[in-house]
Amino acid sequence: MPVALVDCNSFYASCEQVFQPRLQGRAVVVLSNNDGCVVARSREAKALGIKMGEPWFQARRRLQGQAEAVTALSSNYALYADMSNRVMRILGRFSPRQEVYSIDESFLALDGLPGPPAVIGERMRATVLGWTGLPVCVGIGPTKTLAKLANHLAKQHLAWAGVCDLEALEAGEVERLLAPIPVGEVWGVGARLAQRLARLGIDTALDLRRAPPAQVRRHSSVMLERTALELRGIACLDLEMVSPDKQQIRCSRTFGATVSSLAELTEAITSFTSRAAEKLRAQQGEAAAILVEIRSSAFRRDAAPYAASRVVPLAAPTADTRALVAAARAGLNRIYKPGPAYAKAGVILLDLSRAAERQPDLFAEPTADARSQALMATLDQINRRFGRGSLTLANARPAPRWRRREQFRSPRYTTRLDELPVAHC
DNA sequence: TCTGGGGTCCTAGGACCC
DNA sequence: TCTGGGGTCCTAGGACCC
């Protein structure tokens, strides 16, 4: 049952390089929201020792003179999401069974397809590169966990030209490849588990593959037991071809500049709730509760950190921005205290369900629901057509102080007419 | 000066019930 | 001094992922 994991190399950085060819072969990093941390690095940036998740101001300081050699860009999610859609559609042509696992990764079932898996893998790679300009690596194995590991190997061994098929190898050869891989590289094993496993003498992917599953379960959990079985080639995880509805929807941001006033926090919370409500309606959902959260910076030494959150239940499940905002504001009023310099706020929609499956409220005004739905549908339509945030609730301002910093964002080449790339011939 | 955002699942332990 | 047994449900926290 061969399954492939196709993963874009340095996805965000590669997207930037496609549209700015002068960046190819250079050290490029893409920064998180607010230009805070490094979230993607080109091969050359990795070679300079820049770490994933490292705060950019620290990396820059550490690199000193070399920092000039690095191009740092703010994240351009509109561009990445569009490029991701293109890659996923291309990969979908190769197999009827595809799981889009993340913005830059896809699992594909290869059984029943004509031709050797490795050859299909090579074609996938060549097609994605030719049609989008994005380099990908393909890992193939009998289980998802082994396909992930094969992908890791394909990225390491340049001579393999981006494709690694573990099923084509003898068992002894597979074990020889797994032996040097630290157990923390295995899908499902993070830093904490790796530490605990080290105490049991399990240091490598091969060690975990050989460990008795029952013992693994005793020392940890069923999840790790499944991982151990998958490493042996026993499939425990299915391909999930339809993505299930979200169980919670979150929208939170670190502010570009800290804020202290209730008025500004209210503005931010209103804006975040509106965005979350849009996502909720996109999956035809309703929320029965909303969590509001505000916090000061955890990194400041000069003041005690303050963080507070509150869950506010809704009178009835709803997807109406106005009802959700009212609840969020009520929650905010309960947790706000003057004084702290707030650095971050957010909301989470909870207890989600499908709108169509709700029991009607015995005491509700029968027409109110239909009117709310019509209004929200119109709001969403206008914002889809004219751009996010074109129509908002009355207290949102265009350029608030708390808005994120994005000093180095590239144009949205593929989704905005006025930002199309122009050829200079 | 400057430290992301958005998800999932599992488990332990408390509350509550008979 | 000595304080039952067994079950369900919910939540907080911890771990993981990209």
Side-chain angles (χ1 to χ4, degrees), chain A residues 161-229:
Chain A
V163 180
C164 169
D165 179 6
L166 289 179
E167 287 198 308
L169 306 174
E170 302 287 330
E173 181 68 4
V174 171
E175 304 220 322
R176 198 183 60 78
L177 288 168
L178 298 194
I181 301 179
V183 72
E185 296 292 335
V186 174
W187 191 37
V189 182
R192 282 296 163 75
L193 271 180
Q195 264 180 21
R196 271 166 60 183
L197 288 173
R199 274 181 249 130
L200 301 172
I202 298 174
D203 298 304
T204 68
L206 181 59
D207 292 340
L208 185 56
R209 170 179 162 117
R210 287 180 169 170
Q215 185 197 335
V216 170
R217 179 176 192 154
R218 254 203 328 280
H219 285 288
S220 176
S221 70
V222 284
M223 294 180 57
L224 193 64
E225 182 188 28
R226 281 200 282 260
T227 299
L229 287 168

Side-chain angles (χ1 to χ4, degrees), chain A residues 26-54:
Chain A
R26 291 180 45 99
V28 175
V29 299
V30 176
L31 306 179
S32 65
N33 225 308
N34 238 1
D35 296 339
C37 299
V38 173
V39 293
R41 307 156 293 158
S42 69
R43 176 179 293 281
E44 295 75 15
K46 287 175 192 166
L48 285 175
I50 301 172
K51 300 275 180 301
M52 180 67 180
E54 188 177 15

